[in-house]
Amino acid sequence: MSESAEGNDEYSHARKLVLRAAKREAALSKADAPVPDGMGSSIGADFSNMTLKPDHIQRPCWACPDGNIYLEAFHDLYTQAYDFLVAISEPVARPEFIHQYKLTPYSLYAAVATNIETESIIGVLERLSKNALPPQVKKFVRDCTSKYGKAKLVLKHNKFYVESEFPEVLRELLRDPTIAQARIQEDVENVDDHGFLTNTKQEEMKENLQMLREPDDDSDDEMEQNDKSKKPTVVVSFQVDGSKVENVKRQAIELDYPLMEEYDFRNDNINPNVPLMDLKPITRIRRYQERSLAKMFGNGRARSGIIVLPCGAGKTLTGVTAAQTIKKSCVCLATNAVSVLQWKHQFQKWTNIPDDRICVFTSDQKDKIHPEACVLVTTYTMISYSGKRSEQSQKIMDQITGKEWGLLLMDEVHVVPAKMFRRVIGSVKAHCRLGLTATLVREDDLISDLNFLIGPKLYEANWMDLTAQGYLANVQCVEVWCPMTGPFMKEYLMATNARLKQLLYVMNPSKLRAVEYLVRFHEERGDKIIVFSDLVYSLKLYAEMLKKPLIYGETPERERQAILGTFRASDMIRTICISKVGDTSIDLPEANVIIQVSSHFGSRRQEAQRLGRILRPKSYTRQDGTNKSTFNAFFYTLVSSDTQEMFYSAKRQQYLIDQGYTFKIVTNLCEKAAEAAVEEGYSYSTPEDDRKLLRTVLQSETDLEKEQRAEDAAIRKNNADGAALADAGTKRSTGATISQMSGGSGMRYREVNSSKKHPLFRKRQRR
Amino acid sequence: MASAASSEEQKVSPSKKRKMKDDDAASKASGVMAYLQTSLSKESLSQLYLDPTRGRYVCRAVLQELPMTSQQVVVRLICCGGSFPRNLVNIWCGKKYWGHKQIMEMVKWAILKQPADDDAAIQLTDEFFQGYKAALHSMDTSPWSPLTPAQVEVMEQEASAVEGKPVKFPAMTQEDLERYTQSQWDAVLHYLVGTPNLDVQPNPAISHFLLETKLMQPDPEYRGDPEEAPLVITRKGYDFMLQDSTQQVWHFVLQYLQSIERQGNEKAVVFKREALLVLLCLSYAKFGECYASAVLSKDGRRIVRDLALFGLLYVKKVGKKSVFYPTRIAMQLVGGAEASSSSKSGKRGGGGGMWSWSSKALDSALAHPYPSDSSHLAIIVQTNFQLCAYTTSELHVSMLGLFCEVQTIRRLPNVVFMAITRDSIKGAFALGIQAHQILRFLEKHVHPKLRDNTTSPIPSNVVDQVYLWDRERHRVEWNEVFMHQCVLDGEFHAVQSYTMEHQAHAWSNAGRNQLFIKFPYAEQVQSFVRKWRAKAAAG
């Protein structure tokens, strides 16, 4: 298949770049990080001999030679420093007071891609840093940015141009025979001595470069602006043959000048615009959405890249706005049929797009694609399906592959398995790719590939800032410790089968009681509750106990929509039980309580995604900055104490903890629940109930296996995200390290060998 | 609010626990007044009251220790000539506030004479009566008056005349003094934790003290002459390190007093009395003022020199005369109980121990961490269990290393990052450090930016987690037991009831006729069993 071959090709290029980047990063972290004596191999480092500037107190951050940057979040210059650091580095942890960032090749690529120059990165970093900028950092920044981002591939007037500010870069590229061959000589006026076309540079938006400016030179701002308009930067370019573009791109990667693609959509008059696709006047874009889009369209052209916004912060609106800015045909990929409908709905809600210009392509619904420009909403699975298709869908598929698209919009881009991703990229020819995600973490290393397959990360919002501003609900995260009842603990300790162990700690009767207690409590308060369980068998039991509707992989689409509809619209249903199909993309703005009964081992992403279900601000969320003082949503994780669950839950929370969330541990809820159970007659209140439950659990092992497999199959069929999760389950045996799989580098429960000797134990001579 | 409701309760338990521990600490309260009350005989107290010039200050200080009602009674009694009928005194106060307990307390202070019976008149002791009368008559607020600028000038001139060159008076600001105390005291602690290459070496007397107080011990693993064995820190020493600095200092002063006591002769008794008087008078001195050593007796001057070893006073010679500055920590020694509660007030005012610097001193230290004053410490604990400490001192790094993961340390020029992990906290527990000590330490040294917060400066999830880790230790309890296998049911019941009666019962399994007996009672129960079996065989 030629299309997938092309996808593979691009994929292998991305890998090549990833490897190169990894090499650079390794060189940096090795760059003399002196290990404190007597501590052997450790993650620690001693940089205490760096010189501190005399006026360090006026500067907000420290830059370490290994690329780590620490930022005082309570500093006066925080906002400026934050904007800058997010643009050039990767946030590692952003709690309330001291943030940690890390310079990586990718983050620097992203910085260059948004027109921040090498020297200004170094200059501003030097200005912000409390210590003299270590030479290693300067070298690293220069290394990473010397070649990347210097040349761009621009699609303008439907011709491809290789464009650069630096003529020598173009000359170097042209020294390569493949590229030289692809060049088309033009006979126009504005050529320089080398035969390059000269143009004035597309100025980057003022706003995007604001952070680079000295804080105190606001006064001569205007003058500077005038200077610029008098002497605009000149860019040079040459045209390449459209049919040889792929060769040029590949060759450029070989030369380590990866071409960044920009799409000059305003000057594209071959591809027609989607008519009437304008934002409705009622649509209001929030500041951070605007910032992220400003990064994308910074110089009047569209850049490919990824935008990271927390769940519930309005990713969809950001995507819709991007699509309507470009106004060309657009493919929008979602993870499942439910979210496809949501995307369509959002397009219609925010823009005036005519009904016949937006079409849906799912297994249930196959709209006809408008011959001219249109918006197509579909799932990853539909596009990447490699088996035999029905005649109708094959026809649509052919149309998709045959068409030239303006924008490829990818929702929840972090969940797509690599293989599927390749096929998608091979099938849809788009001039610009935009990925949207809430959690750019994955337990495998696809994330770095995304940097080259889609583009650099353009923007990442800070969860805590958005919460403080009231754009997100302020969630109280609670970890409830449920002691295992005696008989369950006994079986748990004796069980050899991991599945059975898992079932035992999920079905722990004190957990059942705690769930019922919490559900009753919150229903009385008038909250809307989602109960999450990964284990279908237990989900069914919980639903039965609570007498609430449930949704899992095999639930028919119609029934699913009906349940969700009732939940959204009325108070008839206040609680629903959902399996992992509900982790992403199910939009339930009314829900404000999550009770998580069981989960996928140590997946940090799942935890963040689930939290995202209730992050959407509620009608009573205050936007005047006081939001942080009160909690208006609750995220309960029930954990059976003294089981593996404790370990997994610590791993899972790491991502959110790094975003500044705290998990409150509650140990006495189960006692209260047990009391209430007896008083109010819960389904499981007596020891006899517990024993009965244990007997059923022990007998149902085979059922359980079967159901779980059916669930995985069902999910894989129509939900890319689920497939990723299901894949992760099987990957475990072959996959890399356990720590990667279980959620990484958490500090709290880090295992260390205890052979270290504390300096205090050193001996001293008596005087 | 659901979780609030449930979590509120959860919150109670650790904080309750903390409060309990605080009370615990208060009961061990340190300070001159506590020492006077608990360790001095009534006779010695009376002697203090009788001191001609300083007795009145002792009386004042003691009176301030009493509850308000008792203070009232004392003042009225003085106006009434020192004695008044018991039933009338009762009318003054009301039963609720005045009774046997208060009387006995005052008897213990040697303020009241021991009443012969319940109806006897309430009578002040002659010594206290005289001492306090003197206090009422005098208008002085301080036993010593600080040097005036004019006096200073005279001293400078005299000194210059003696030396033959101009002599400058050693002017010290409050910050200078704090820095001085800090560096002296740090030298002690550095020695305790064994920092290599110290700049300030502590006096040999101090290492003697460390050994004496069992904060350090000769290395038990040392092979060779025991006299030569190097010193290592003890468990008590770890505990000591994280204590309130006021308590630490008091610990030393107490040791000092006790070492005087041990000499046992008449001279030592007089000397100790002088020492107590000096300490009491110090509390009336003004911080940042300079006093001439001439105000002291000969013994007093020796005491001042000794106290200067710990950095409690700053002593300087100007020509032939010497002057001294009291430090904040020395003045706080009197009110030891107050200092132990300063974890609460420390949050507000930054008062309390010497490490919680006055915010002005700390701010300037943060701005200029080099080179002179490298002993400031400002800590930020973050919700992700990362600890960030603004310090340049090896000592602080070592101290933080007691409960932070040493392997995660990242040192920057003026700041240190470390992580608090379960292992690291458990390691601290194993050294005998308490959870509340760790948290109090963190709270005390919190970064000034976090001080003005009304909420706790340490994230509540970290606090809870530390207590939970603490609790983990107590989940399994090890008891030595003796298992007794009974042959007959009758025997089982008989032995079971016997063990129950004698609190020897640990656990029993009726199904298998097994009894688990607390080990100390094993023999006793065995002999009972023998008797029972003999009886059963006979019967």
mmCIF file with all atom_site columns, all heavy atoms in Angstrom, chain A residues 286-303:
data_model
loop_
_atom_site.group_PDB
_atom_site.id
_atom_site.type_symbol
_atom_site.label_atom_id
_atom_site.label_alt_id
_atom_site.label_comp_id
_atom_site.label_asym_id
_atom_site.label_entity_id
_atom_site.label_seq_id
_atom_site.pdbx_PDB_ins_code
_atom_site.Cartn_x
_atom_site.Cartn_y
_atom_site.Cartn_z
_atom_site.occupancy
_atom_site.B_iso_or_equiv
_atom_site.pdbx_formal_charge
_atom_site.auth_seq_id
_atom_site.auth_comp_id
_atom_site.auth_asym_id
_atom_site.auth_atom_id
_atom_site.pdbx_PDB_model_num
ATOM 1   N N   . ARG A 1 286 ? -11.302 32.931 25.207 1.00 0.00 ? 286 ARG A N   1
ATOM 2   C CA  . ARG A 1 286 ? -10.608 33.337 26.431 1.00 0.00 ? 286 ARG A CA  1
ATOM 3   C C   . ARG A 1 286 ? -9.157  33.676 26.137 1.00 0.00 ? 286 ARG A C   1
ATOM 4   O O   . ARG A 1 286 ? -8.613  33.259 25.126 1.00 0.00 ? 286 ARG A O   1
ATOM 5   C CB  . ARG A 1 286 ? -10.659 32.197 27.448 1.00 0.00 ? 286 ARG A CB  1
ATOM 6   C CG  . ARG A 1 286 ? -12.061 31.883 27.867 1.00 0.00 ? 286 ARG A CG  1
ATOM 7   C CD  . ARG A 1 286 ? -12.063 30.626 28.672 1.00 0.00 ? 286 ARG A CD  1
ATOM 8   N NE  . ARG A 1 286 ? -13.425 30.198 28.958 1.00 0.00 ? 286 ARG A NE  1
ATOM 9   C CZ  . ARG A 1 286 ? -13.731 28.966 29.275 1.00 0.00 ? 286 ARG A CZ  1
ATOM 10  N NH1 . ARG A 1 286 ? -12.783 28.042 29.333 1.00 0.00 ? 286 ARG A NH1 1
ATOM 11  N NH2 . ARG A 1 286 ? -14.970 28.640 29.531 1.00 0.00 ? 286 ARG A NH2 1
ATOM 12  N N   . ARG A 1 287 ? -8.541  34.331 27.094 1.00 0.00 ? 287 ARG A N   1
ATOM 13  C CA  . ARG A 1 287 ? -7.199  34.846 26.865 1.00 0.00 ? 287 ARG A CA  1
ATOM 14  C C   . ARG A 1 287 ? -6.210  33.750 26.494 1.00 0.00 ? 287 ARG A C   1
ATOM 15  O O   . ARG A 1 287 ? -5.444  33.872 25.555 1.00 0.00 ? 287 ARG A O   1
ATOM 16  C CB  . ARG A 1 287 ? -6.714  35.578 28.118 1.00 0.00 ? 287 ARG A CB  1
ATOM 17  C CG  . ARG A 1 287 ? -5.368  36.231 27.897 1.00 0.00 ? 287 ARG A CG  1
ATOM 18  C CD  . ARG A 1 287 ? -4.825  36.896 29.122 1.00 0.00 ? 287 ARG A CD  1
ATOM 19  N NE  . ARG A 1 287 ? -3.420  37.207 28.896 1.00 0.00 ? 287 ARG A NE  1
ATOM 20  C CZ  . ARG A 1 287 ? -2.429  36.382 29.196 1.00 0.00 ? 287 ARG A CZ  1
ATOM 21  N NH1 . ARG A 1 287 ? -2.680  35.220 29.734 1.00 0.00 ? 287 ARG A NH1 1
ATOM 22  N NH2 . ARG A 1 287 ? -1.178  36.728 28.947 1.00 0.00 ? 287 ARG A NH2 1
ATOM 23  N N   . TYR A 1 288 ? -6.270  32.645 27.241 1.00 0.00 ? 288 TYR A N   1
ATOM 24  C CA  . TYR A 1 288 ? -5.264  31.609 26.985 1.00 0.00 ? 288 TYR A CA  1
ATOM 25  C C   . TYR A 1 288 ? -5.513  30.922 25.655 1.00 0.00 ? 288 TYR A C   1
ATOM 26  O O   . TYR A 1 288 ? -4.585  30.456 25.001 1.00 0.00 ? 288 TYR A O   1
ATOM 27  C CB  . TYR A 1 288 ? -5.216  30.589 28.131 1.00 0.00 ? 288 TYR A CB  1
ATOM 28  C CG  . TYR A 1 288 ? -6.513  29.879 28.390 1.00 0.00 ? 288 TYR A CG  1
ATOM 29  C CD1 . TYR A 1 288 ? -6.819  28.699 27.737 1.00 0.00 ? 288 TYR A CD1 1
ATOM 30  C CD2 . TYR A 1 288 ? -7.426  30.392 29.288 1.00 0.00 ? 288 TYR A CD2 1
ATOM 31  C CE1 . TYR A 1 288 ? -8.000  28.045 27.977 1.00 0.00 ? 288 TYR A CE1 1
ATOM 32  C CE2 . TYR A 1 288 ? -8.627  29.746 29.534 1.00 0.00 ? 288 TYR A CE2 1
ATOM 33  C CZ  . TYR A 1 288 ? -8.912  28.575 28.871 1.00 0.00 ? 288 TYR A CZ  1
ATOM 34  O OH  . TYR A 1 288 ? -10.087 27.932 29.101 1.00 0.00 ? 288 TYR A OH  1
ATOM 35  N N   . GLN A 1 289 ? -6.790  30.871 25.226 1.00 0.00 ? 289 GLN A N   1
ATOM 36  C CA  . GLN A 1 289 ? -7.067  30.289 23.909 1.00 0.00 ? 289 GLN A CA  1
ATOM 37  C C   . GLN A 1 289 ? -6.494  31.200 22.830 1.00 0.00 ? 289 GLN A C   1
ATOM 38  O O   . GLN A 1 289 ? -5.918  30.742 21.850 1.00 0.00 ? 289 GLN A O   1
ATOM 39  C CB  . GLN A 1 289 ? -8.573  30.124 23.726 1.00 0.00 ? 289 GLN A CB  1
ATOM 40  C CG  . GLN A 1 289 ? -9.149  29.047 24.618 1.00 0.00 ? 289 GLN A CG  1
ATOM 41  C CD  . GLN A 1 289 ? -10.662 29.039 24.638 1.00 0.00 ? 289 GLN A CD  1
ATOM 42  O OE1 . GLN A 1 289 ? -11.301 30.081 24.498 1.00 0.00 ? 289 GLN A OE1 1
ATOM 43  N NE2 . GLN A 1 289 ? -11.242 27.876 24.828 1.00 0.00 ? 289 GLN A NE2 1
ATOM 44  N N   . GLU A 1 290 ? -6.661  32.482 23.061 1.00 0.00 ? 290 GLU A N   1
ATOM 45  C CA  . GLU A 1 290 ? -6.142  33.451 22.126 1.00 0.00 ? 290 GLU A CA  1
ATOM 46  C C   . GLU A 1 290 ? -4.618  33.348 22.034 1.00 0.00 ? 290 GLU A C   1
ATOM 47  O O   . GLU A 1 290 ? -4.044  33.376 20.961 1.00 0.00 ? 290 GLU A O   1
ATOM 48  C CB  . GLU A 1 290 ? -6.530  34.834 22.633 1.00 0.00 ? 290 GLU A CB  1
ATOM 49  C CG  . GLU A 1 290 ? -6.762  35.846 21.566 1.00 0.00 ? 290 GLU A CG  1
ATOM 50  C CD  . GLU A 1 290 ? -7.289  37.110 22.214 1.00 0.00 ? 290 GLU A CD  1
ATOM 51  O OE1 . GLU A 1 290 ? -8.479  37.127 22.548 1.00 0.00 ? 290 GLU A OE1 1
ATOM 52  O OE2 . GLU A 1 290 ? -6.496  38.041 22.420 1.00 0.00 ? 290 GLU A OE2 1
ATOM 53  N N   . ARG A 1 291 ? -3.984  33.205 23.225 1.00 0.00 ? 291 ARG A N   1
ATOM 54  C CA  . ARG A 1 291 ? -2.527  33.099 23.241 1.00 0.00 ? 291 ARG A CA  1
ATOM 55  C C   . ARG A 1 291 ? -2.070  31.891 22.438 1.00 0.00 ? 291 ARG A C   1
ATOM 56  O O   . ARG A 1 291 ? -1.105  31.954 21.690 1.00 0.00 ? 291 ARG A O   1
ATOM 57  C CB  . ARG A 1 291 ? -1.988  32.954 24.671 1.00 0.00 ? 291 ARG A CB  1
ATOM 58  C CG  . ARG A 1 291 ? -2.332  34.051 25.589 1.00 0.00 ? 291 ARG A CG  1
ATOM 59  C CD  . ARG A 1 291 ? -1.246  35.095 25.780 1.00 0.00 ? 291 ARG A CD  1
ATOM 60  N NE  . ARG A 1 291 ? 0.104   34.564 25.784 1.00 0.00 ? 291 ARG A NE  1
ATOM 61  C CZ  . ARG A 1 291 ? 1.076   35.063 25.059 1.00 0.00 ? 291 ARG A CZ  1
ATOM 62  N NH1 . ARG A 1 291 ? 0.830   36.069 24.246 1.00 0.00 ? 291 ARG A NH1 1
ATOM 63  N NH2 . ARG A 1 291 ? 2.271   34.575 25.133 1.00 0.00 ? 291 ARG A NH2 1
ATOM 64  N N   . SER A 1 292 ? -2.778  30.772 22.635 1.00 0.00 ? 292 SER A N   1
ATOM 65  C CA  . SER A 1 292 ? -2.339  29.562 21.942 1.00 0.00 ? 292 SER A CA  1
ATOM 66  C C   . SER A 1 292 ? -2.510  29.728 20.439 1.00 0.00 ? 292 SER A C   1
ATOM 67  O O   . SER A 1 292 ? -1.661  29.300 19.658 1.00 0.00 ? 292 SER A O   1
ATOM 68  C CB  . SER A 1 292 ? -3.103  28.348 22.467 1.00 0.00 ? 292 SER A CB  1
ATOM 69  O OG  . SER A 1 292 ? -4.472  28.494 22.232 1.00 0.00 ? 292 SER A OG  1
ATOM 70  N N   . LEU A 1 293 ? -3.595  30.373 20.027 1.00 0.00 ? 293 LEU A N   1
ATOM 71  C CA  . LEU A 1 293 ? -3.798  30.572 18.593 1.00 0.00 ? 293 LEU A CA  1
ATOM 72  C C   . LEU A 1 293 ? -2.821  31.602 18.041 1.00 0.00 ? 293 LEU A C   1
ATOM 73  O O   . LEU A 1 293 ? -2.377  31.497 16.896 1.00 0.00 ? 293 LEU A O   1
ATOM 74  C CB  . LEU A 1 293 ? -5.239  30.997 18.320 1.00 0.00 ? 293 LEU A CB  1
ATOM 75  C CG  . LEU A 1 293 ? -6.235  29.868 18.578 1.00 0.00 ? 293 LEU A CG  1
ATOM 76  C CD1 . LEU A 1 293 ? -7.642  30.394 18.585 1.00 0.00 ? 293 LEU A CD1 1
ATOM 77  C CD2 . LEU A 1 293 ? -6.077  28.764 17.541 1.00 0.00 ? 293 LEU A CD2 1
ATOM 78  N N   . ALA A 1 294 ? -2.485  32.569 18.867 1.00 0.00 ? 294 ALA A N   1
ATOM 79  C CA  . ALA A 1 294 ? -1.511  33.567 18.435 1.00 0.00 ? 294 ALA A CA  1
ATOM 80  C C   . ALA A 1 294 ? -0.189  32.898 18.106 1.00 0.00 ? 294 ALA A C   1
ATOM 81  O O   . ALA A 1 294 ? 0.522   33.293 17.201 1.00 0.00 ? 294 ALA A O   1
ATOM 82  C CB  . ALA A 1 294 ? -1.324  34.619 19.521 1.00 0.00 ? 294 ALA A CB  1
ATOM 83  N N   . LYS A 1 295 ? 0.140   31.867 18.885 1.00 0.00 ? 295 LYS A N   1
ATOM 84  C CA  . LYS A 1 295 ? 1.374   31.132 18.614 1.00 0.00 ? 295 LYS A CA  1
ATOM 85  C C   . LYS A 1 295 ? 1.282   30.409 17.278 1.00 0.00 ? 295 LYS A C   1
ATOM 86  O O   . LYS A 1 295 ? 2.264   30.279 16.544 1.00 0.00 ? 295 LYS A O   1
ATOM 87  C CB  . LYS A 1 295 ? 1.609   30.091 19.713 1.00 0.00 ? 295 LYS A CB  1
ATOM 88  C CG  . LYS A 1 295 ? 1.970   30.690 21.034 1.00 0.00 ? 295 LYS A CG  1
ATOM 89  C CD  . LYS A 1 295 ? 3.448   30.937 21.088 1.00 0.00 ? 295 LYS A CD  1
ATOM 90  C CE  . LYS A 1 295 ? 3.815   31.527 22.418 1.00 0.00 ? 295 LYS A CE  1
ATOM 91  N NZ  . LYS A 1 295 ? 5.191   31.960 22.462 1.00 0.00 ? 295 LYS A NZ  1
ATOM 92  N N   . MET A 1 296 ? 0.085   29.927 16.985 1.00 0.00 ? 296 MET A N   1
ATOM 93  C CA  . MET A 1 296 ? -0.072  29.137 15.771 1.00 0.00 ? 296 MET A CA  1
ATOM 94  C C   . MET A 1 296 ? -0.048  30.030 14.533 1.00 0.00 ? 296 MET A C   1
ATOM 95  O O   . MET A 1 296 ? 0.563   29.700 13.525 1.00 0.00 ? 296 MET A O   1
ATOM 96  C CB  . MET A 1 296 ? -1.389  28.371 15.838 1.00 0.00 ? 296 MET A CB  1
ATOM 97  C CG  . MET A 1 296 ? -1.604  27.478 14.646 1.00 0.00 ? 296 MET A CG  1
ATOM 98  S SD  . MET A 1 296 ? -3.072  26.497 14.841 1.00 0.00 ? 296 MET A SD  1
ATOM 99  C CE  . MET A 1 296 ? -3.122  25.693 13.251 1.00 0.00 ? 296 MET A CE  1
ATOM 100 N N   . PHE A 1 297 ? -0.724  31.175 14.631 1.00 0.00 ? 297 PHE A N   1
ATOM 101 C CA  . PHE A 1 297 ? -0.825  32.044 13.464 1.00 0.00 ? 297 PHE A CA  1
ATOM 102 C C   . PHE A 1 297 ? 0.047   33.282 13.628 1.00 0.00 ? 297 PHE A C   1
ATOM 103 O O   . PHE A 1 297 ? -0.256  34.339 13.104 1.00 0.00 ? 297 PHE A O   1
ATOM 104 C CB  . PHE A 1 297 ? -2.281  32.466 13.258 1.00 0.00 ? 297 PHE A CB  1
ATOM 105 C CG  . PHE A 1 297 ? -3.184  31.299 13.003 1.00 0.00 ? 297 PHE A CG  1
ATOM 106 C CD1 . PHE A 1 297 ? -4.066  30.859 13.972 1.00 0.00 ? 297 PHE A CD1 1
ATOM 107 C CD2 . PHE A 1 297 ? -3.135  30.626 11.793 1.00 0.00 ? 297 PHE A CD2 1
ATOM 108 C CE1 . PHE A 1 297 ? -4.893  29.781 13.731 1.00 0.00 ? 297 PHE A CE1 1
ATOM 109 C CE2 . PHE A 1 297 ? -3.967  29.541 11.551 1.00 0.00 ? 297 PHE A CE2 1
ATOM 110 C CZ  . PHE A 1 297 ? -4.850  29.116 12.523 1.00 0.00 ? 297 PHE A CZ  1
ATOM 111 N N   . GLY A 1 298 ? 1.131   33.109 14.383 1.00 0.00 ? 298 GLY A N   1
ATOM 112 C CA  . GLY A 1 298 ? 1.946   34.254 14.789 1.00 0.00 ? 298 GLY A CA  1
ATOM 113 C C   . GLY A 1 298 ? 2.380   35.167 13.662 1.00 0.00 ? 298 GLY A C   1
ATOM 114 O O   . GLY A 1 298 ? 2.415   36.374 13.821 1.00 0.00 ? 298 GLY A O   1
ATOM 115 N N   . ASN A 1 299 ? 2.729   34.611 12.503 1.00 0.00 ? 299 ASN A N   1
ATOM 116 C CA  . ASN A 1 299 ? 3.235   35.489 11.447 1.00 0.00 ? 299 ASN A CA  1
ATOM 117 C C   . ASN A 1 299 ? 2.273   35.526 10.262 1.00 0.00 ? 299 ASN A C   1
ATOM 118 O O   . ASN A 1 299 ? 2.681   35.723 9.126  1.00 0.00 ? 299 ASN A O   1
ATOM 119 C CB  . ASN A 1 299 ? 4.622   35.050 11.012 1.00 0.00 ? 299 ASN A CB  1
ATOM 120 C CG  . ASN A 1 299 ? 4.640   33.592 10.596 1.00 0.00 ? 299 ASN A CG  1
ATOM 121 O OD1 . ASN A 1 299 ? 3.604   32.940 10.659 1.00 0.00 ? 299 ASN A OD1 1
ATOM 122 N ND2 . ASN A 1 299 ? 5.777   33.110 10.179 1.00 0.00 ? 299 ASN A ND2 1
ATOM 123 N N   . GLY A 1 300 ? 1.023   35.298 10.545 1.00 0.00 ? 300 GLY A N   1
ATOM 124 C CA  . GLY A 1 300 ? 0.040   35.377 9.479  1.00 0.00 ? 300 GLY A CA  1
ATOM 125 C C   . GLY A 1 300 ? -0.068  34.107 8.657  1.00 0.00 ? 300 GLY A C   1
ATOM 126 O O   . GLY A 1 300 ? -0.905  33.990 7.783  1.00 0.00 ? 300 GLY A O   1
ATOM 127 N N   . ARG A 1 301 ? 0.791   33.153 8.952  1.00 0.00 ? 301 ARG A N   1
ATOM 128 C CA  . ARG A 1 301 ? 0.679   31.851 8.289  1.00 0.00 ? 301 ARG A CA  1
ATOM 129 C C   . ARG A 1 301 ? 0.319   30.814 9.329  1.00 0.00 ? 301 ARG A C   1
ATOM 130 O O   . ARG A 1 301 ? 0.416   31.073 10.532 1.00 0.00 ? 301 ARG A O   1
ATOM 131 C CB  . ARG A 1 301 ? 2.007   31.466 7.652  1.00 0.00 ? 301 ARG A CB  1
ATOM 132 C CG  . ARG A 1 301 ? 2.459   32.417 6.582  1.00 0.00 ? 301 ARG A CG  1
ATOM 133 C CD  . ARG A 1 301 ? 3.895   32.118 6.268  1.00 0.00 ? 301 ARG A CD  1
ATOM 134 N NE  . ARG A 1 301 ? 4.397   32.953 5.184  1.00 0.00 ? 301 ARG A NE  1
ATOM 135 C CZ  . ARG A 1 301 ? 5.689   33.057 4.909  1.00 0.00 ? 301 ARG A CZ  1
ATOM 136 N NH1 . ARG A 1 301 ? 6.572   32.374 5.630  1.00 0.00 ? 301 ARG A NH1 1
ATOM 137 N NH2 . ARG A 1 301 ? 6.094   33.807 3.923  1.00 0.00 ? 301 ARG A NH2 1
ATOM 138 N N   . ALA A 1 302 ? -0.052  29.646 8.895  1.00 0.00 ? 302 ALA A N   1
ATOM 139 C CA  . ALA A 1 302 ? -0.430  28.611 9.850  1.00 0.00 ? 302 ALA A CA  1
ATOM 140 C C   . ALA A 1 302 ? 0.756   27.688 10.069 1.00 0.00 ? 302 ALA A C   1
ATOM 141 O O   . ALA A 1 302 ? 1.350   27.192 9.116  1.00 0.00 ? 302 ALA A O   1
ATOM 142 C CB  . ALA A 1 302 ? -1.615  27.820 9.320  1.00 0.00 ? 302 ALA A CB  1
ATOM 143 N N   . ARG A 1 303 ? 1.112   27.484 11.341 1.00 0.00 ? 303 ARG A N   1
ATOM 144 C CA  . ARG A 1 303 ? 2.191   26.555 11.668 1.00 0.00 ? 303 ARG A CA  1
ATOM 145 C C   . ARG A 1 303 ? 1.575   25.263 12.155 1.00 0.00 ? 303 ARG A C   1
ATOM 146 O O   . ARG A 1 303 ? 0.561   25.279 12.825 1.00 0.00 ? 303 ARG A O   1
ATOM 147 C CB  . ARG A 1 303 ? 3.029   27.096 12.810 1.00 0.00 ? 303 ARG A CB  1
ATOM 148 C CG  . ARG A 1 303 ? 3.745   28.344 12.499 1.00 0.00 ? 303 ARG A CG  1
ATOM 149 C CD  . ARG A 1 303 ? 4.547   28.761 13.726 1.00 0.00 ? 303 ARG A CD  1
ATOM 150 N NE  . ARG A 1 303 ? 5.264   29.962 13.410 1.00 0.00 ? 303 ARG A NE  1
ATOM 151 C CZ  . ARG A 1 303 ? 5.121   31.105 14.073 1.00 0.00 ? 303 ARG A CZ  1
ATOM 152 N NH1 . ARG A 1 303 ? 4.317   31.166 15.107 1.00 0.00 ? 303 ARG A NH1 1
ATOM 153 N NH2 . ARG A 1 303 ? 5.795   32.167 13.712 1.00 0.00 ? 303 ARG A NH2 1
#
